[in-house]
């Protein structure tokens, strides 16, 4: 009897493991499909003219970047962040993300300014790293979102749900409110911050919430 019970328990555990693996595989396939769709939409959005024409591009921009950011948040290994320092995070993304981004910035800089590269001053070159070219803003913004979440969740021990509630009004302000400055210095700071699309941070947190819950 005891052997039969043990065999049944082992069989039950085996079935549970198979179910978990099956669910995980389906989730991974779903995320892969979502990643492919968002990448396609991003490419489509950057190759179909300006925001005024055609109409479908305006519709595209209403959802494809929020979805792309949410998928990026979903893929963040939040549990591992609890055991990592800021240096560990930087080291993890250095070769995977930061080095390719630096190469892309320099390649784009050369292509855009050739053959007059020598005439450009150092300040104009340095600005590329805090005022990224067009679509290259995403890498800097992603690292900003990641470190901001790390600070709020790991260091300040705030739950993702609380972070989402706190970030919502801030995201709305950055999205719909642009103050008029008489002094160029705060105007420049506002432009740099807004260029990193802080209003997408809420979607980054939503992706993390979906993963955790």
């Amino acid at each position: 009897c005891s052997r039969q019970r043990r065999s049944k328990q082992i069989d039950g555990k085996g079935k549970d493991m198979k179910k978990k693996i099956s669910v995980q595989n389906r989730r991974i396939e779903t995320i892969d499909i979502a990643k492919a769709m968002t990448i396609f939409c991003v490419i489509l959005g950057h190759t179909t003219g300006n925001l005024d024409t055609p109409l479908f591009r305006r519709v595209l921009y209403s959802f494809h970047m929020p979805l792309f950011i949410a998928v990026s948040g979903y893929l963040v290994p939040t549990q591992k962040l609890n055991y990592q320092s800021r240096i560990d995070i930087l080291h993890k993304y250095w070769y995977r993300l930061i080095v390719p981004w630096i190469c892309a910035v320099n390649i784009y800089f050369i292509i855009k300014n050739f053959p007059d590269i020598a005439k450009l001053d150092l300040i104009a070159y340095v600005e590329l790293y805090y005022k990224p070219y067009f679509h290259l803003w995403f890498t800097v913004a992603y690292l900003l979102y990641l470190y901001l979440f790390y600070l709020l969740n790991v260091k300040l021990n705030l739950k993702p749900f609380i972070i989402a509630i706190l970030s919502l009004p801030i995201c709305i302000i950055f999205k719909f409110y642009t103050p008029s400055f008489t002094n160029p210095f705060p105007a420049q700071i506002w432009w740099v911050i807004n260029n990193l699309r802080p209003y997408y941070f809420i979607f980054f947190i939503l992706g993390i919430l979906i993963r955790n819950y």
Side-chain angles (χ1 to χ4, degrees):
C1 293
S2 61
R3 288 181 179 178
Q4 289 178 350
R5 288 177 183 175
R6 287 178 183 176
S7 63
K8 287 181 179 179
Q9 289 176 353
I10 292 172
D11 290 340
K13 289 180 180 179
K15 290 179 180 178
D16 290 339
M17 286 296 294
K18 288 180 180 179
K19 286 181 181 179
K20 288 181 180 179
I21 292 172
S22 178
V23 171
Q24 289 176 352
N25 288 338
R26 284 199 298 269
R27 291 180 68 182
I28 292 172
E29 288 176 1
T30 302
I31 290 300
D32 286 340
I33 293 171
K35 285 162 59 179
M37 289 177 58
T38 53
I39 290 172
F40 175 76
C41 288
V42 168
I43 295 173
L44 190 64
H46 283 90
T47 56
T48 53
N50 55 45
L51 282 175
D52 297 322
T53 58
L55 178 61
F56 84 89
R57 189 168 183 265
R58 301 186 62 134
V59 175
L60 187 67
Y61 264 76
S62 69
F63 74 88
H64 86 283
M65 281 311 301
L67 179 60
F68 189 81
I69 299 294
V71 170
S72 300
Y74 182 91
L75 295 173
V76 171
T78 54
Q79 293 182 347
K80 291 182 180 180
L81 290 179
N82 294 319
Y83 308 100
Q84 293 178 322
S85 67
R86 285 169 292 183
I87 302 300
D88 292 333
I89 296 172
L90 182 64
H91 183 265
K92 176 183 177 180
Y93 289 99
W94 179 252
Y95 291 106
R96 292 174 54 188
L97 198 64
I98 298 174
V99 170
W101 179 80
I102 293 173
C103 293
V105 168
N106 283 274
I107 291 171
Y108 199 94
F109 173 76
I110 293 172
I111 293 174
K112 189 173 186 295
N113 296 285
F114 187 82
D116 299 322
I117 298 175
K119 297 180 181 179
L120 298 177
D121 58 12
L122 181 61
I123 295 176
Y125 175 75
V126 172
E127 283 184 348
L128 300 177
Y129 292 92
Y130 65 88
K131 296 181 183 178
Y133 282 124
F134 306 113
H135 52 283
L136 295 178
W137 66 268
F138 174 74
T139 301
V140 184
Y142 175 82
L143 292 173
L144 174 67
Y145 303 154
L146 184 64
Y147 270 104
L148 185 56
F149 175 77
Y150 175 82
L151 172 65
L152 297 173
N153 180 249
V154 178
K155 297 301 183 181
L156 300 182
N157 201 28
L158 294 177
K159 301 295 183 182
F161 181 73
I162 302 299
I163 298 174
I165 294 175
L166 295 175
S167 64
L168 181 58
I170 298 174
C171 294
I172 292 174
I173 290 172
F174 274 103
K175 178 63 177 177
F176 298 105
Y177 175 67
T178 303
S180 57
F181 296 102
T182 54
N183 190 318
F185 182 68
Q188 195 77 348
I189 293 176
W190 177 272
W191 189 92
V192 171
I193 294 174
N194 208 36
N195 192 50
L196 298 177
R197 318 307 201 268
Y199 43 82
Y200 284 137
F201 181 65
I202 183 66
F203 299 103
F204 186 80
I205 299 300
L206 287 177
I208 292 174
L209 282 171
I210 293 171
R211 178 190 179 101
N212 292 345
Y213 302 104

